[in-house]
């Protein structure tokens, strides 16, 4: 059985990697926070937010706010690993790291700009890249 279907190999592997990443890979493997399966299952909502607001630089806090406003009940599923974090802190951090950095940035859908003075800051700016509109199209 050949994987090659007459198309350029690079144009066929990206959709497969993307599909595997959102359907099979557990996004919480690399951090110490709750699994929060809905966070991963709602990846299309994140892409929609980026599509709608991503032409201009927005902060990750902007996207976190929109996500929490859309899914406030998800806060009740969050169990902070220590008393240092609130459920909202954990959800915000999980969203930014998993959805914006490890998903959207990793797949070249957005670019992230961190402050020059603090490359490890939890606060950063996000802007969509042209690939986002090529990968997914919303009819709204």
């Amino acid at each position: 059985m050949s994987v090659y279907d007459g198309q350029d190999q690079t144009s066929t592997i990206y959709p497969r990697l993307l599909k595997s990443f959102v359907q099979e890979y557990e996004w919480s493997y690399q951090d110490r926070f709750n699994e929060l399966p809905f966070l991963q299952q709602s990846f299309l909502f994140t892409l929609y937010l980026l599509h709608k607001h991503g032409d201009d630089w927005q902060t990750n806090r902007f996207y976190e706010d929109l996500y929490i406003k859309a899914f406030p009940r998800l806060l009740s599923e969050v169990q902070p690993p220590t008393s240092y974090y609130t459920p909202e802190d954990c959800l915000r951090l999980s969203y930014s790291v998993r959805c914006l950095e490890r998903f959207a940035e990793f797949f070249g859908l957005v670019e992230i700009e961190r402050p020059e003075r603090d490359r490890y800051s939890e606060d950063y700016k996000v802007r969509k890249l042209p690939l986002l509109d090529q990968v997914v199209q919303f009819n709204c």
Side-chain angles (χ1 to χ4, degrees):
M1 179 172 138
S2 173
V3 179
Y4 186 72
D5 62 1
Q7 296 181 2
D8 180 349
Q9 288 289 347
T10 57
S11 66
T12 60
I13 191 130
Y14 185 88
R16 290 179 187 183
L17 287 172
L18 185 65
K19 183 178 178 182
S20 292
F21 192 84
V22 298
Q23 291 183 345
E24 298 173 28
Y25 179 72
E26 175 56 55
W27 291 8
S28 66
Y29 282 163
Q30 295 177 318
D31 57 49
R32 63 186 181 277
F33 295 113
N34 295 64
E35 285 186 12
L36 299 174
F38 186 76
L39 195 67
Q40 183 169 344
Q41 294 164 358
S42 63
F43 77 94
L44 281 175
F45 182 72
T46 295
L47 294 180
Y48 174 74
L49 292 177
L50 293 167
H51 167 77
K52 185 174 179 180
H53 302 287
D55 287 329
D56 299 315
W57 287 105
Q58 303 290 347
T59 65
N60 59 312
R61 302 287 183 210
F62 172 82
Y63 290 107
E64 292 168 5
D65 289 343
L66 292 174
Y67 191 84
I68 291 171
K69 184 177 180 180
F71 307 110
R73 296 181 75 186
L74 191 55
L75 286 167
S76 65
E77 295 181 30
V78 178
Q79 304 269 326
T82 68
S83 60
Y84 178 75
Y85 295 101
T86 67
E88 185 173 330
D89 293 336
C90 289
L91 181 56
R92 286 178 177 279
L93 189 56
S94 295
Y95 180 79
S96 283
V97 169
R98 294 177 189 171
C99 298
L100 299 177
E101 296 175 37
R102 293 187 193 151
F103 171 59
E105 183 184 34
F106 178 75
F107 277 94
L109 305 173
V110 301
E111 60 182 322
I112 289 178
E113 183 178 278
R114 295 188 183 279
E116 287 290 324
R117 66 189 184 288
D118 186 2
R119 302 296 295 165
Y120 301 104
S121 174
E122 290 180 6
D123 298 320
Y124 51 82
K125 294 188 289 185
V126 180
R127 180 172 61 181
K128 75 176 178 178
L129 292 171
L131 182 60
L132 176 68
D133 293 328
Q134 295 170 15
V135 170
V136 64
Q137 296 178 358
F138 294 95
N139 299 320
C140 42

